[in-house]
Amino acid sequence: MSKLYLVPTPIGNLKDITLRAIEVLKEVDLILAEDTRTSGKLLKHFEISTQMQSHHMHNEHKTVNNLIEKLKSGLTIAVISDAGTPAISDPGFLLVRACVENNIEVDCLPGATAFVPALVNSGLPNDKFVFEGFLPVKKGRQTRLLLLAEETRTIIFYESPHKLIKTLGHFCEYFGEDRLVSVSRELTKLYEETIRGTAKEVLEHYTNKPPKGEIVIVVDGRK
């Protein structure tokens, strides 16, 4: 039976992959990988020899129709990203939507995703929260920040290390220097850390100690 699987992969520590994820990746006919070189190392580690095909933000629009035809022919396909759960700030949504439109079964496995441990680690309210992912780089950034300045729920962002200082500076400007912020870096990896404080304090910390690695920012909502 044709089916699309979305399979979370570890965000750092390889032990965080699930037994079911390994089983599915071994049994499907094709694995769609965001970066076949990165995923190749993961598959080799778990002795998975399933055929891979590149599926990333630059080609997913062009390949969706072909993949739907493969699924309709009876193939089972798994989607994986470089780390975490596919379609969460990574490729996957377009293919899932197309599967739903074509009545093809979709099964998303539970597993690793970076924002959940970052939210829980933050110590900020997590009964209600909004996931923003990456802020617009240029166009629309100010508009988004002005809107989020009024958000009362905890807000979660993804950010790259070389843009963290700029983003924290914008938080000081639009949210206020006293707004509580938590920055989690390199989650599940050897040098994992979480820095908590006001936007001003966290900005000063990373101004003096430039960050490296994958970053999740959790921001307290407006009181």
Side-chain angles (χ1 to χ4, degrees):
M1 293 292 292
S2 62
K3 183 187 285 191
L4 178 72
Y5 293 92
L6 284 86
V7 181
T9 54
I11 60 175
N13 193 320
L14 292 181
K15 294 179 182 178
D16 289 335
I17 197 167
T18 67
L19 296 175
R20 185 180 172 207
I22 295 172
E23 181 180 84
V24 168
L25 293 176
K26 286 183 175 181
E27 292 181 353
V28 293
D29 298 303
L30 176 67
I31 295 173
L32 303 179
E34 185 179 5
D35 187 326
T36 55
R37 294 166 299 181
T38 299
S39 296
K41 297 174 184 177
L42 177 73
L43 300 190
K44 182 179 180 181
H45 180 83
F46 289 106
E47 299 179 345
I48 299 168
S49 58
T50 307
Q51 178 187 352
M52 274 194 298
Q53 179 178 318
S54 179
H55 183 74
H56 48 74
M57 62 180 294
H58 302 295
N59 73 358
E60 59 178 336
H61 290 82
K62 301 175 182 177
T63 59
V64 165
N65 291 337
N66 178 258
L67 291 170
I68 291 297
E69 291 306 312
K70 287 184 177 182
L71 286 160
K72 285 182 176 180
S73 73
L75 293 185
T76 54
I77 298 177
V79 180
I80 58 176
S81 61
D82 290 347
T85 300
I88 303 297
S89 292
D90 278 325
F93 163 70
L94 292 178
L95 185 54
V96 170
R97 183 174 64 182
C99 285
V100 172
E101 291 171 349
N102 285 273
N103 296 314
I104 295 169
E105 187 175 356
V106 178
D107 190 353
C108 181
L109 277 60
T113 189
F115 78 78
V116 173
L119 173 62
V120 176
N121 284 342
S122 71
L124 297 172
N126 55 31
D127 55 331
K128 294 182 177 68
F129 60 90
V130 56
F131 176 71
E132 278 293 311
F134 290 94
L135 281 166
V137 177
K138 293 181 180 178
K139 186 178 180 181
R141 188 179 181 92
Q142 182 182 39
T143 301
R144 197 71 200 154
L145 287 165
L146 286 169
L147 179 65
L148 292 172
E150 303 301 316
E151 177 60 65
T152 57
R153 295 168 293 181
T154 300
I155 315 167
I156 305 167
F157 301 90
Y158 284 165
E159 192 52 280
S160 60
H162 67 278
K163 293 178 182 174
L164 178 62
I165 300 300
K166 175 184 177 181
T167 296
L168 290 172
H170 283 157
F171 290 170
C172 288
E173 179 182 353
Y174 290 93
F175 300 164
E177 294 182 346
D178 293 331
R179 184 74 71 95
L180 293 178
V181 170
S182 174
V183 174
S184 290
R185 186 180 68 82
E186 293 287 79
L187 286 165
T188 79
K189 299 178 184 177
L190 182 61
Y191 297 107
E192 174 180 345
E193 70 171 12
T194 295
I195 302 298
R196 308 172 185 86
T198 65
K200 182 180 180 181
E201 290 169 342
V202 176
L203 173 59
E204 288 175 350
H205 172 84
Y206 283 112
T207 298
N208 295 322
K209 187 180 178 182
K212 296 180 181 179
E214 301 298 320
I215 290 168
V216 185
I217 311 171
V218 184
V219 181
D220 199 12
R222 182 182 178 185
K223 303 303 183 186

